[in-house]
Amino acid sequence: MGSLIKIWKTIPMPAGATVGRNGTVSWKAKGKKRTGKLSAIPGRVTVQSDTWTAQFTDETGKIQRISTKTTVRSIAEKILAQYQTEVDRIRTGVATREELSKVRFRHVTLAEALERFRTKMVASGCVAKHIVATSRRLRHIFQETGIESLMGSGTTGVACANMNRAFIGIEQQKKYFDIACERIERAYAGYKNQFTEVRELVETNGLFTSRTTGTIPGCHSNGNEPLEH
């Protein structure tokens, strides 16, 4: 089981820093008070990192410590969960480390992703009215829907169903994809609203997708068309 920790590191003694009797060092940085401990190394201070570090045991049994590069614990927890999911897949023989490294992607903000898509539509010759309408609809979907890459067995999708929210899941491995679909379908079956599942499994060069259509509370297209995700 992994955990989140904050690493201690040493930095040069900040200008204007004061040292207390118990070895506590205090100073101001960007208008905020900072504290640390006097290091055994002359002229240096030991401080705790602001960002979270993911600590977990990899598939070889070795303890790994990887910075999440975020100060927000909830985001760091998702990153840690992703590392643990990768390890589980390797241990069960579903994928290799090399395969997983090839599908890594860089996280971008919603605004950046939409801007890239808008630029692509402009380059494709789409009219301004269509671009604005499409961007608005995509933003609404992303804001109102739970989204997860490497969704594994679909735990987040089940949680979204229980919270009356739609869900978009991305999964590379067919084994986990099928498990997630079955769990999420069972969860959505509890809705009072009529819900129809239409599942299309496409196996072309190892690619497969699932499409779900129906009336999901809180998520609509234009009021007449079923939402597709």
Side-chain angles (χ1 to χ4, degrees), residues 5-7 48-53 67-72:
I5 61 175
K6 287 192 173 181
I7 300 296
Q48 192 176 45
S49 174
D50 292 329
T51 58
W52 292 98
T53 294
S67 174
T68 63
K69 298 181 181 180
T70 180
T71 59
V72 182

Side-chain angles (χ1 to χ4, degrees), residues 17-182:
T18 58
V19 181
R21 294 182 179 179
N22 58 355
T24 301
V25 181
S26 302
W27 71 95
K28 282 190 175 182
K30 297 181 180 181
K32 295 183 179 181
K33 182 180 179 180
R34 302 294 301 273
T35 59
K37 299 178 181 179
L38 194 61
S39 174
I41 304 173
R44 297 187 70 85
V45 180
T46 301
V47 297
Q48 192 176 45
S49 174
D50 292 329
T51 58
W52 292 98
T53 294
Q55 179 174 280
F56 60 95
T57 304
D58 65 14
E59 63 277 7
T60 66
K62 182 179 179 181
I63 296 178
Q64 298 286 348
R65 288 183 177 179
I66 303 176
S67 174
T68 63
K69 298 181 181 180
T70 180
T71 59
V72 182
R73 186 180 179 88
S74 59
I75 297 177
E77 288 174 344
K78 291 182 179 180
I79 296 174
L80 172 61
Q82 183 171 319
Y83 285 134
Q84 291 178 316
T85 298
E86 291 180 352
V87 171
D88 290 341
R89 291 177 179 181
I90 295 173
R91 285 177 174 172
T92 55
V94 174
T96 64
R97 175 60 63 185
E98 182 180 3
E99 290 173 338
L100 292 177
S101 64
K102 290 181 180 179
V103 298
R104 288 188 181 279
F105 58 89
R106 186 173 67 88
H107 293 279
V108 298
T109 63
L110 174 60
E112 185 178 352
L114 289 177
E115 178 58 26
R116 290 181 181 180
F117 185 64
R118 188 194 69 81
T119 301
K120 184 176 181 180
M121 286 193 292
V122 171
S124 299
C126 296
V127 298
K129 183 178 180 180
H130 173 71
I131 294 174
V132 172
T134 302
S135 298
R136 183 184 298 115
R137 185 174 180 183
L138 285 173
R139 186 179 296 277
H140 173 74
I141 291 174
F142 276 93
Q143 289 176 343
E144 297 296 329
T145 306
I147 302 175
E148 183 181 42
S149 62
L150 298 177
M151 65 177 175
S153 59
T155 301
T156 300
V158 172
C160 286
N162 294 334
M163 294 173 65
N164 211 26
R165 296 188 62 182
F167 171 75
I168 296 175
I170 304 170
E171 176 55 52
Q172 183 190 29
Q173 303 298 329
K174 182 178 181 301
K175 173 184 176 181
Y176 286 96
F177 175 81
D178 289 337
I179 293 174
C181 284
E182 291 175 3

